Amino acid sequence: MFILKVNYKKPIEEVERFLAAHRQFLDQLYAQGIFIASGPQEPRTGGVILCNAKNAQEATAIYQQDPFYINGIADYELTQFHVTKHNVDNFTASFE
């Protein structure tokens, strides 16, 4: 499992220009069962994606397809961790 931390390099106005394409990219990976959760950081300096990739090479290849990455809008920081416990029944998200 990987945490993909998205760090914006451009002003938020530039980020907004690519947001629809970025969300389409996310939707494709959710449909494949690779992305588990995602959302913007607070303050809005980037985002976080929980990614179920097989290895670091696959995770890197995935984020390199993101329009944010392709267009120089954001850099990605990759953190691998080993899931030892989880409880999807209690997973809730804040949509404030």
Side-chain angles (χ1 to χ4, degrees):
M1 187 76 64
F2 294 86
I3 298 169
L4 305 179
K5 185 175 178 194
V6 183
N7 300 303
Y8 298 151
K9 302 186 323 183
K10 302 285 184 173
I12 198 69
E13 296 79 21
E14 192 75 8
V15 171
E16 293 287 341
R17 286 186 51 229
F18 290 91
L19 193 55
H22 170 72
R23 288 182 175 157
Q24 184 177 22
F25 161 78
L26 295 175
D27 289 345
Q28 292 171 355
L29 279 294
Y30 275 109
Q32 295 174 38
I34 295 172
F35 286 173
I36 309 301
S38 61
Q41 295 177 50
E42 185 63 43
R44 194 168 171 203
T45 58
V48 176
I49 303 168
L50 188 58
C51 176
N52 192 22
K54 294 176 187 145
N55 54 49
Q57 293 80 10
E58 181 181 68
T60 300
I62 289 167
Y63 77 66
Q64 288 177 339
Q65 297 172 46
D66 184 352
F68 280 177
Y69 183 85
I70 292 169
N71 292 286
I73 301 301
D75 285 328
Y76 270 81
E77 183 179 327
L78 184 68
T79 303
Q80 183 173 11
F81 72 102
H82 300 283
V83 176
T84 56
K85 291 186 181 216
H86 70 284
N87 186 343
V88 295
D89 293 336
N90 289 339
F91 181 81
T92 59
S94 171
F95 297 103
E96 298 178 35

